[in-house]
Amino acid sequence: MSEYGQGAPAGPREGIGYFARFGVTERMIAETLSAALSRGGDHADVFFQHRVSSDIGVEDGAVNRAYASVELGVGVRVVKGDQTGYGYTEDLSLPALVECARTAAAIADGPSRPGPQRLHVQGGLPDRYPLVRPWSEVRPEEKLPLVAGLNERAFAADPRVKKVNVFLRDEDGAVLLADSSGRVVEDRQPMTLLFLSVLAEEKGRREQSGYNVAGRAGFEFYTPERLDRVVREAIDRTSVLFEAVAAPAGEMPVVLAAGSSGILLHEAIGHGMEADFNRKGVSIYADKIGKPIARPFVNIVDDAANPGARGAINVDDEGNAAGTTHLVENGVLATYLHDSISARHYGVAPTGNGRRESYRYPPLPRMRSTYMLPGPHRTEEIIQSVKKGIYCVNFSNGQVNIGAGDFTFYVKNGWLIEDGKLTRPVKDVNIIGNGPKALEQVDMVSDDLAIDEGGWTCGKDGQSVPVSQGLPTVRVASMTVGGRGS
Amino acid sequence: MKDLLEIARDAAALARQRGADEAAVGAYRARHVEVAWRDGRLEKVSEATTRGLGLDLYVDGRYVSVGTSDLRPEALDRFVSDSVVLARTLAPDPHRRLPDPELYQGQAAVDLELEDPHHGALDAAERRRQAEAIEVAARSVPGAQAILSVSTSVSDSLSESALVHTNGFEGRRRGTDFWIGAEVTVKDPDGRRPEEYASSGARHRADVESPEVIGRRAGERAVGRIGSRKGESAVTALAVDNRASGRLVGALFGPLSASSIQQKRSYLEGKVGAEVGSPLLDVRDEPHVRRGLGSRLYDGEGLAARPFAVFEGGVLRTLYVDTYYGRKLGIPPTTGRSSNLAWKLGERSQAALLADMGEGILVTGFLGGNSNGTTGDFSLGVRGFRVRSGALAEPVGEMNVSGNHLELWKRLVAVGNDPYRYSPMRTPTLVFEGVQLAGT
């Protein structure tokens, strides 16, 4: 533990790695926080971030493009009740920091409050993304054969393949948060994502699909098994489209395959449980805490703690501990997802869901890794139970209207279920439901929970954050399938 | 602070010193201020200046594109040097070169009026007054007792950029924009809390609709959602509101990019000169609209901006071709991205179009869904209103439309006189016949 006192030296402190990375000192931080509280304000924080990201890409058979970006900046937030003042700057000099803090301070209009007398680095964070090969140590020459090899394997896998695109992205990030209580939290935030996309042609018809994997990990993430899976899935998901027929239109039972179908939870309940929408009274779940909303075998969590998951975090972007939040316990709605503003509003402990895209934005209640726990049914039993319906396997996107509760998710690949059997593939169909209604209608849950390994990104208020999702095989008794015919 | 053009020139010179043969450098700076207001109180104020550099580097026939907000001199030098090293590890690409300098020539000599000279006059007190006025107006509409919450926002920004290409292009531009908006949530007797919004924005503050108009519109729209139901599945006539129709148009324009064509991911490949829509599909790209949100004298590659026809009487006339994919395809560049779209408008209002339509659905918003750019298949969630006997009837929601764009645009049977001014797509109300709707 390290502390800040009035007589502390002005240079970067020994032993606190990121102070030097940002070129700031404890004194600068303390002065910034004092300026932030110069008009009252209940709470202030400064969020420094340095993120270096790099992509290399293959198109038309050559590794011939690369993209790199560096983001460096600081955001200053002042909170008064549930009001927020915010400013950010990419100039980390003291005058710029203080000006930014004074801007944020304008949300309050009372007498000045003192800044923290001491800063103390909070230790003891979990390590949910231990790195074997950090990206800062991986040379481009090591990444090139990986993407070039995937390109060759995709072409070799199926003669119908006409175009292949591969992208490998890596990020090496560091954040430092200090707040008006004197707390200092540092974290590194690695991320990687690999994307393989395939265009195939058969008798003049073209189909396109792909597969992607993502995680908070270093170069070691790309094991031979994972790379094999990327090629196989990208090819399989594309070639099945040639057999696909249009999905039917109208209400019918929908069976969701284990894994990325967790998008149902993300849209049908996750967003509606973000506490800012509830404290404002604009969520369809605003008056449902403690009430049954699903069958007793339905349990849903939002989890920061899956090691290496894209949605894993060691600590949230307000410096609060982040663990496993039980949204639905035995069918009963248990708690919202809180940031510190909503936690104070409701008089509860923060749940570690205060997240932000970058220093350019204030934190908001956001999901991390959202999934349903295993249930009592068997996968075959679920499929056999459906006379006519849809089995959904892969998804590209989803959306929700928070207050009306209507949500959608888009199915890239699925199957018709006829008389308890998967018959023909279907593709490109939007499914639409209403959150509380759909949860009530989850009437079978299998024991085969899988957390998807894809690069899911969640958007809210113009901010994108990485998330994960998962689901066991689940049956929803009825949703509207946006296909054609009947 | 140093002039942006100098910053860009210096960075281009640095890139050359560190080993790049050619470079395109963009420098930008933007100041954005926003006030959010909710239920009688200030919710959020934010104020920020952002700045940065983007560099396209061409090194020994190889290419990287990089960007940074870390402009500390040593950090920038290291970043550029590392980027050159990164480029050298890649495969050469003969199509990656700066644009032909001839294409920089011929910029229109017009004043686009993208900057409001009175921008600085807007202060914190005025923003706050507007934000509050929007809420008051929203709460004054008939049925306002159902309103649960009103969130409003007022924002403005000043953006500046400079672009320098080492083969002779230099450009700079400044622009302002002003936006106001409101989101209103109402309580539906069945327990749902439907929301609706309204917003308005322009380059000049005088062109933004008043807070009273926006507040009222948001309030009326939200109250209008009360009691929405899912209707039955049917093949029906579909009108799409001017604010919503940009979603359909976007799926028509994305596949027109040369990259989609060259990568075989476009259902519009090989369609230049062919009829892809009804004669009513008639759209031009107009970069020189005075005060337009998409207006420009040069595009992101420095190419002089020129108006051109995209669709004429349903016939596809041209693609959006940037330098790189133009070279790969062996066709001359136009521009890689659309500016403002100018529709050949109809003569009738939305109300008149609905009267003519008789029975069907008016879509006022899309929810999720997607369009497959390779095949043209789409499936989109919708909400809106039933149209009965030519007039708006009950609200509908939790429904879906689906089809294929190559069929959809041939079924375009009417175009409104009401371009949506708050998007560079400027879409009017569009009416289609025979569209698949999914519900109960």
Side-chain angles (χ1 to χ4, degrees), chain A residues 97-267:
Chain A
L97 287 170
V98 168
E99 191 198 330
C100 184
R102 289 194 192 285
T103 301
I107 193 72
D109 51 7
S112 164
R113 289 188 46 213
Q117 293 304 301
R118 293 170 179 283
L119 295 181
H120 47 90
V121 174
Q122 181 171 307
L125 292 189
D127 186 5
R128 290 169 181 156
Y129 16 93
L131 297 175
V132 181
R133 298 285 320 279
W135 291 101
S136 56
E137 296 171 10
V138 180
R139 295 168 50 78
E141 291 85 343
E142 294 183 79
K143 304 178 201 171
L144 299 176
L146 189 156
V147 293
L150 291 173
N151 176 64
E152 284 163 22
R153 289 168 63 185
F155 273 112
D158 191 323
R160 294 175 296 181
V161 173
K162 297 294 179 245
K163 293 279 184 186
V164 172
N165 288 71
V166 190
F167 263 91
L168 172 63
R169 157 164 279 238
D170 59 74
E171 282 177 19
D172 178 24
V175 297
L176 184 157
L177 177 121
D179 70 16
S180 47
S181 74
R183 175 171 62 172
V184 175
V185 177
E186 300 170 318
D187 196 20
R188 62 182 173 178
Q189 297 179 332
M191 184 66 76
T192 185
L193 190 151
L194 174 69
F195 181 76
L196 172 62
S197 152
V198 172
L199 183 290
E201 203 171 274
E202 181 181 275
K203 298 180 193 136
R205 222 179 106 189
R206 287 176 187 165
E207 293 289 355
Q208 187 254 312
S209 193
Y211 190 67
N212 67 85
V213 292
R216 289 202 188 273
F219 196 42
E220 71 282 357
F221 184 69
Y222 297 107
T223 59
E225 297 73 32
R226 186 168 266 127
L227 294 176
D228 287 347
R229 188 161 65 245
V230 168
V231 175
R232 193 176 60 243
E233 288 283 349
I235 295 290
D236 288 353
R237 288 173 185 212
T238 308
S239 55
V240 72
L241 297 174
F242 288 107
E243 318 300 321
V245 294
E251 289 181 354
M252 63 194 75
V254 172
V255 177
L256 298 160
S260 62
S261 304
I263 194 168
L264 169 87
L265 307 180
H266 186 98
E267 305 301 350

Side-chain angles (χ1 to χ4, degrees), chain B residues 118-320:
Chain B
H118 307 298
H119 174 253
L122 185 57
D123 65 9
E126 173 59 14
R127 290 186 191 100
R128 189 172 159 148
R129 188 200 66 75
Q130 289 191 19
E132 193 171 357
I134 302 170
E135 177 178 359
V136 170
R139 290 189 183 277
S140 72
V141 303
Q145 61 279 3
I147 291 178
L148 277 171
S149 182
V150 179
S151 295
T152 75
S153 71
V154 174
S155 67
D156 56 277
S157 47
L158 169 65
S159 310
E160 305 169 77
S161 66
L163 183 62
V164 170
H165 289 193
T166 53
N167 71 345
F169 180 83
E170 285 197 351
R172 62 204 302 179
R173 52 187 160 208
R174 277 165 68 96
T176 47
D177 56 74
F178 300 81
W179 288 89
I180 67 171
E183 184 166 282
V184 176
T185 302
V186 293
K187 180 122 191 173
D188 196 303
D190 73 357
R192 295 186 305 152
R193 300 174 183 223
E195 62 272 72
E196 254 289 8
Y197 76 96
S199 64
S200 175
R203 294 284 189 179
H204 287 236
R205 203 178 139 208
D207 299 336
V208 181
E209 287 173 288
S210 75
E212 290 72 23
V213 166
I214 292 305
R216 223 166 28 240
R217 188 177 302 151
E220 286 166 359
R221 281 196 168 134
V223 169
R225 297 306 307 160
I226 294 175
S228 85
R229 292 274 179 279
K230 176 158 47 171
E232 68 278 14
S233 301
V235 174
T236 179
L238 198 74
V240 185
D241 185 67
N242 63 352
R243 188 178 73 172
S245 56
R247 179 74 196 272
L248 293 176
V249 175
L252 184 62
F253 275 66
L256 287 180
S257 73
S259 65
S260 301
I261 303 285
Q262 194 272 334
Q263 287 295 301
K264 299 182 181 286
R265 288 173 191 192
S266 171
Y267 63 86
L268 293 172
E269 187 187 340
K271 300 281 188 198
V272 173
E275 254 183 51
V276 299
S278 83
L280 296 175
L281 178 62
D282 201 302
V283 188
R284 295 174 59 78
D285 193 280
E286 291 280 4
H288 299 143
V289 175
R290 203 170 55 93
R291 302 189 182 188
L293 289 170
S295 294
R296 62 197 184 202
L297 295 177
Y298 60 90
D299 76 0
E301 294 194 293
L303 275 53
R306 292 185 173 82
F308 56 88
V310 185
F311 296 99
E312 272 179 331
V315 176
L316 175 60
R317 289 297 179 203
T318 191
L319 305 171
Y320 282 92

Side-chain angles (χ1 to χ4, degrees), chain B residues 43-126:
Chain B
E43 169 99 347
K44 189 176 96 173
V45 293
S46 67
E47 209 172 319
T49 301
T50 189
R51 50 149 208 204
L53 272 178
L55 304 95
D56 289 347
L57 303 179
Y58 303 84
V59 186
D60 301 338
R62 293 156 168 88
Y63 168 83
V64 295
S65 178
V66 299
T68 181
S69 67
D70 186 354
L71 303 186
R72 296 177 297 187
E74 314 74 49
L76 184 61
D77 195 336
R78 194 170 58 241
F79 180 66
V80 170
S81 302
D82 288 352
S83 301
V84 170
V85 170
L86 174 61
R88 291 211 164 102
T89 64
L90 302 171
D93 186 341
H95 305 293
R96 288 283 187 195
R97 298 191 308 279
L98 285 175
D100 179 347
E102 278 184 23
L103 298 171
Y104 303 149
Q105 305 304 315
Q107 273 187 33
V110 290
D111 179 4
L112 297 176
E113 295 181 33
L114 301 186
E115 183 178 358
D116 184 341
H118 307 298
H119 174 253
L122 185 57
D123 65 9
E126 173 59 14

